[in-house]
Amino acid sequence: MQRDTRQRRAIREVVMVQASPLTPLEILTEAQKLVARLGLATVYRNLRMLLDEGFLREVLIPGDSPRYEQAGKGHHHHFFCFRCGKVFEIAGCRPEVNTLVPAGYIQEFHELTFYGSCAGCALEVAEESGNAGTR
Amino acid sequence: MQRDTRQRRAIREVVMVQASPLTPLEILTEAQKLVARLGLATVYRNLRMLLDEGFLREVLIPGDSPRYEQAGKGHHHHFFCFRCGKVFEIAGCRPEVNTLVPAGYIQEFHELTFYGSCAGCALEVAEESGNAGTR
DNA sequence: ATCGTTGCAAAGTCTTTGCACTTCA
DNA sequence: TGAAGTGCAAAGACTTTGCAACGAT
């Protein structure tokens, strides 16, 4: 039988509070604020369990560590910001995407990831170049 | 000045011949047929150089090792087959994809990866279940 | 002959595993 | 209490780096 430990509770807590998916290390750092002596192996073990039991969803950003978010948010994708390194949720999808797969293939799901500057970082970039240009 | 070594030539050769992107280990195995004593470190070093010089493009399949394909093939995506583990090229894209990114974000590029059974494996699956049903 | 490159082995990073101890039920 | 869970350290997979020897120019 599965037990409800302080560690597991802390990890669940941390993931639920966050808007964007977290890496195992980010989860460790956050959860250690709740359970000081928490170890990284415990985080990995619990991520696997919470994944299996369907509480978490794995978000794989090509070229970066896996991240974890609360499951059941509906189909959506992510935006990875090069400037701040954060991942943002992009709501929705477009049905046209599925027309790309040729006949004969059986598509089960897809992952779509955008890369660039998030709104906040884009503003900074604009200010910097804007100031340089006007003054 | 950069040199034209047997090793580098072999790696370039291997990538050019392949239709789908290869992992570093696959490249090592193939290239060792051309240069027997080739080492994995040399493969990694050359992948980096060929990437920098623009000969290669890195294909990142979320949840799998990075793969490398010849650059300059135009915008396209990939299909990862769960059954055989191979990666297939999916031609083209849909402009609607870009409408998903909210105003304020600056999108530089995107990656779209499909998962499921490739045409060959889908056939096998169909045969198996077909036979089971009719006989 | 020079100096970029190589092969090997050692070092890193990230993740998983083994094990004695702890703790929830 | 007793089995699931934990922390720590050791082991694994994959990738990078240090270094002496090699070989393209």
Side-chain angles (χ1 to χ4, degrees):
Chain A
M1 181 45 195
Q2 208 185 79
R3 289 182 188 173
D4 183 31
T5 61
R6 294 184 319 127
Q7 291 84 342
R8 185 125 68 224
R9 235 176 294 135
I11 291 169
R12 235 180 287 145
E13 192 61 33
V14 163
V15 172
M16 283 194 288
V17 168
Q18 296 296 321
S20 53
L22 300 180
T23 62
L25 214 56
E26 288 167 342
I27 292 171
L28 175 70
T29 308
E30 284 305 307
Q32 277 180 338
K33 295 177 186 168
L34 304 173
V35 180
R37 307 187 46 66
L38 181 64
L40 188 51
T42 299
V43 171
Y44 277 106
R45 277 187 288 236
N46 277 286
L47 288 178
R48 171 112 40 123
M49 297 182 108
L50 293 169
L51 218 46
D52 289 347
E53 100 191 15
F55 178 82
L56 288 182
R57 195 177 93 82
E58 196 172 27
V59 176
L60 299 167
I61 304 291
D64 213 61
S65 318
R67 290 158 196 263
Y68 300 87
E69 66 181 14
Q70 199 174 354
K73 289 186 165 188
H75 186 59
H76 63 271
H77 295 296
H78 294 91
F79 188 105
F80 180 83
C81 177
F82 286 132
R83 296 253 306 178
C84 65
K86 288 208 202 95
V87 170
F88 299 83
E89 221 172 272
I90 298 291
C93 193
R94 302 303 304 247
E96 294 88 354
V97 166
N98 298 303
T99 65
L100 288 168
V101 177
Y105 287 67
I106 301 173
Q107 183 200 332
E108 286 171 32
F109 65 96
H110 64 253
E111 288 283 0
L112 174 56
T113 312
F114 299 94
Y115 297 81
S117 294
C118 70
C121 289
L123 257 181
E124 283 179 35
V125 176
E127 269 168 35
E128 282 163 23
S129 55
N131 288 344
T134 51
R135 242 149 255 280
Chain B
M1 182 46 195
Q2 208 183 80
R3 287 179 189 175
D4 184 31
T5 62
R6 293 183 321 126
Q7 290 83 344
R8 186 125 67 224
R9 235 176 295 134
I11 292 169
R12 236 180 284 144
E13 193 63 32
V14 164
V15 173
M16 283 194 289
V17 168
Q18 297 295 322
S20 54
L22 301 179
T23 61
L25 215 57
E26 289 168 341
I27 292 171
L28 176 71
T29 308
E30 283 305 306
Q32 277 180 338
K33 295 178 187 168
L34 305 173
V35 180
R37 307 187 46 66
L38 181 64
L40 188 51
T42 299
V43 171
Y44 276 107
R45 276 187 289 236
N46 276 286
L47 288 178
R48 170 113 39 125
M49 296 182 107
L50 293 169
L51 218 46
D52 288 348
E53 99 191 15
F55 178 82
L56 289 182
R57 195 176 94 82
E58 196 172 27
V59 176
L60 299 167
I61 305 291
D64 213 61
S65 318
R67 291 159 196 263
Y68 300 87
E69 67 182 12
Q70 199 174 353
K73 290 186 165 189
H75 186 59
H76 62 271
H77 297 294
H78 295 91
F79 189 105
F80 181 83
C81 176
F82 286 132
R83 297 253 307 178
C84 64
K86 288 208 200 94
V87 170
F88 299 82
E89 221 171 273
I90 298 291
C93 193
R94 302 302 305 245
E96 293 88 354
V97 165
N98 298 303
T99 64
L100 288 168
V101 177
Y105 285 69
I106 300 173
Q107 183 200 332
E108 286 171 32
F109 65 96
H110 64 254
E111 290 281 1
L112 173 56
T113 312
F114 299 94
Y115 297 81
S117 294
C118 70
C121 289
L123 257 180
E124 283 178 36
V125 176
E127 269 167 36
E128 281 163 23
S129 55
N131 288 342
T134 52
R135 242 148 255 280

